[in-house]
Amino acid sequence: MKITTFNPLIVSQNADDIISLFEELGFEKRHTPFIDTGDRKVIRTRMKDANGFYVDISKVESIPRDMTAVRMNVDNFQEAYDLLTAHGFRKAPGIEEVDLKTARALLMIAPSGFAIEVIEHIKD
């Protein structure tokens, strides 16, 4: 398994306020995809600063409070999932796996409480 991206991810109902803060810190919006899995709608904003640092901010209406996680893009979702599961990670409560034509993703929680969102972008 190869990690292709590794950066902070903030999940919040109040993403617009967080995006504004990061803009004041010098980050610029790169792109803002909308993900609709039917039962969950997510607006994800990817931001980058002049030093090359990235942060992702996801607007999720159903989350009860803000959550900070690590976004980890990989070239093999199943391999990453199996590795994290072997270390005690579990699917985040109330969050279902995203399985679309273009991506597969799941937010996983470590036994100690920190979170990693595993994402594999599927290319044709």
Side-chain angles (χ1 to χ4, degrees):
M1 172 195 69
K2 178 181 174 188
I3 296 173
T4 58
T5 303
F6 198 84
N7 62 267
L9 163 66
I10 302 168
V11 183
S12 176
Q13 289 183 13
N14 302 309
D16 294 337
D17 294 339
I18 298 168
I19 290 167
S20 293
L21 168 65
F22 276 88
E23 286 175 329
E24 288 184 42
L25 291 170
F27 284 78
E28 296 180 358
K29 293 180 187 177
R30 301 290 291 184
H31 67 278
T32 305
F34 174 71
I35 302 164
D36 184 352
T37 63
D39 61 338
R40 182 175 70 154
K41 293 171 180 34
V42 177
I43 299 171
R44 160 109 11 116
T45 300
R46 185 146 177 83
M47 302 181 81
K48 182 179 179 182
D49 78 353
N51 297 308
F53 294 111
Y54 285 91
V55 63
D56 287 10
I57 301 164
S58 290
K59 182 173 186 169
V60 179
E61 295 292 337
S62 62
I63 194 163
R65 63 180 181 268
D66 289 359
M67 173 188 283
T68 303
V70 173
R71 170 188 169 150
M72 183 172 75
N73 283 27
V74 296
D75 66 347
N76 186 315
F77 177 91
Q78 192 62 51
E79 193 175 339
Y81 175 86
D82 292 343
L83 179 113
L84 292 175
T85 301
H87 285 273
F89 280 75
R90 298 290 176 249
K91 178 181 80 71
I95 302 290
E96 296 303 318
E97 180 179 327
V98 173
D99 193 359
L100 303 171
K101 182 180 176 184
T102 58
R104 188 172 176 197
L106 181 63
L107 184 65
M108 300 184 74
I109 307 294
S112 64
F114 75 92
I116 295 178
E117 183 181 42
V118 178
I119 303 172
E120 177 186 359
H121 289 284
I122 301 166
K123 299 170 180 82
D124 288 332

